[in-house]
Amino acid sequence: MKRVLTIFGTRPEAIKLAPVILELGRHPDCFENLVCVTGQHREMLDQVLNWFQIQPHYDLNLMRPNQGLSEFAAQALVAVDQVLDKVQPDVVIVEGDTTTVIMAALAAFYRRIRVAHVEAGLRTRDRYNPFPEEINRRMTGALATYHFAPTPRAVADLRAEQVPETDIFLTGNTVVDALLMTMRRPVKLEYDFSADTRFPILVTAHRRENFGAPFESLCLALLDIVERNPEVELLYPVHLNPNVREPVTRILSGHERIRLTEPLGYEQLVHLMAKAYLILTDSGGIQEEAPVLGKPTLVLRETSERMEAVEAGTACLVGTDRNRIVTTTERLLYDETVYHKMSHAGSPFGNGDAAERIVDILHQKLS
């Protein structure tokens, strides 16, 4: 039996690793399935753990108010190393590109423990966009032993970085597994669109690289969309970061067709995505989830490491330019041909069996 330690700290990591953890749990004769969380996103992380009924064996609870990236990174490296010393796993599984990911991978590397990187190979080639994620995932790629790439593009990017072919595996994206698992379960919505709304639009925006003037620009664009189009209703779960809350509250609060809510549980957001006419987001995960649901997505970023959705035609990069956001949104509202093309473009991120593939590969490699 091989000892597997899965380490994560944020809500997106938890969502994408939950299917892997659950799949590992279906093979108790092959794997000792251990989970460690850093608590990088405390409340939002716990909600996902509860939804997927995952109980961590080690909870480091490292996040503190007003904690900087360097401070968290230093604490995470030391704390994860202490867990590794105690557990002595055969492999550490990480996912994506957060500070938890790079520190966990580095701690494992220092102890010569194999690292399995889920969602490997995503690149923008712009070191500051997204920040700090682009450098986090490049460094994790340099440390990883097994690279579980979600798409052929990610495979190609890993090959371009001279990653050995024998260490690269095309698996699909585990976010599709999590989404399909969640859609099969009934959910009572805490917030919903009005029943008579013709164009319900779901918004999520929180990226660090958009803080300041770009974020104000996108908020003004959202206000324009509602004021110019009386059949539009926006629902916007607002991130807890004050750099998001202040401009959103100042610019968008008080409008009868703009609903600002607290951050939603993962299952709530998934079912709202399914009800939306279209989605405006700067979230990486939603760029992957929306195509599965057939929802056109406008990406509020200047670059994306998930260009597969753009190339497939189900997503469109609009950045944070006020006029471009408004114009592109209105085109989707009133041009049925354009909307139909985007909503039927299909998903390039797999069919929901990524976790099973990953666990099968681990079984082969660790045997």
Side-chain angles (χ1 to χ4, degrees), residues 5-253:
L5 179 63
T6 304
I7 304 176
F8 54 96
T10 68
R11 167 170 151 155
E13 293 166 80
I15 291 167
K16 293 181 178 182
L17 285 173
V20 177
I21 294 167
L22 295 175
E23 183 65 26
L24 286 166
R26 296 187 183 101
H27 303 275
D29 53 329
C30 300
F31 302 105
E32 184 180 358
N33 183 20
L34 302 176
V35 174
C36 171
V37 298
T38 64
Q40 187 174 340
H41 285 177
R42 183 73 270 171
E43 294 179 9
M44 299 169 76
L45 171 66
D46 291 344
Q47 186 276 323
V48 175
L49 293 174
N50 291 335
W51 174 251
F52 288 106
Q53 299 181 324
I54 294 171
Q55 181 64 47
H57 301 83
Y58 303 92
D59 190 336
L60 305 180
N61 196 28
L62 296 179
M63 201 63 190
R64 300 291 180 267
N66 302 313
Q67 193 170 39
L69 289 173
S70 298
E71 183 181 359
F72 177 81
Q75 291 191 58
L77 181 62
V78 172
V80 169
D81 181 68
Q82 292 171 349
V83 174
L84 295 179
D85 183 51
K86 180 177 182 179
V87 174
Q88 296 293 316
D90 294 290
V91 65
V92 166
I93 300 177
V94 295
E95 187 282 330
D97 50 25
T98 71
T99 304
T100 291
V101 174
I102 177 57
M103 289 300 105
L106 186 60
F109 170 76
Y110 283 161
R111 289 185 173 272
R112 298 180 181 268
I113 297 169
R114 286 171 284 190
V115 175
H117 188 200
V118 177
E119 199 180 48
L122 276 64
R123 302 289 186 269
T124 64
R125 303 301 174 190
D126 180 346
R127 64 190 304 166
Y128 293 112
N129 200 349
F131 174 84
E133 289 84 1
E134 176 69 10
I135 291 300
N136 285 347
R137 57 185 170 229
R138 288 196 217 175
M139 293 172 65
T140 302
L143 298 167
T145 313
Y146 310 123
H147 304 257
F148 296 128
T151 64
R153 173 187 277 269
V155 169
D157 281 339
L158 290 167
R159 287 172 177 160
E161 295 173 1
Q162 306 301 310
V163 175
E165 191 74 28
T166 54
D167 297 339
I168 303 171
F169 307 92
L170 177 62
T171 60
N173 199 309
T174 55
V175 76
V176 179
D177 305 36
L179 179 74
L180 296 177
M181 291 166 61
T182 298
M183 286 301 296
R184 286 193 287 265
R185 294 169 61 181
V187 169
K188 183 179 180 181
L189 293 175
E190 298 174 18
Y191 302 96
D192 202 352
F193 297 105
S194 301
D196 58 350
T197 298
R198 181 183 177 190
F199 297 125
I201 298 178
L202 181 66
V203 178
T204 73
H206 67 277
R207 301 297 304 190
R208 184 185 300 267
E209 61 268 24
N210 285 341
F211 290 171
F215 209 92
E216 296 224 357
S217 177
L218 74 84
C219 286
L220 290 169
L222 297 175
L223 184 62
D224 289 344
I225 290 166
V226 174
E227 291 188 337
R228 288 162 55 111
N229 301 279
E231 293 181 294
V232 163
E233 179 185 354
L234 293 186
L235 197 154
Y236 184 172
V238 185
H239 198 277
L240 297 174
N241 192 307
N243 291 294
V244 174
R245 295 214 144 196
E246 191 281 325
V248 168
T249 303
R250 172 166 44 84
I251 296 171
L252 298 177
S253 63

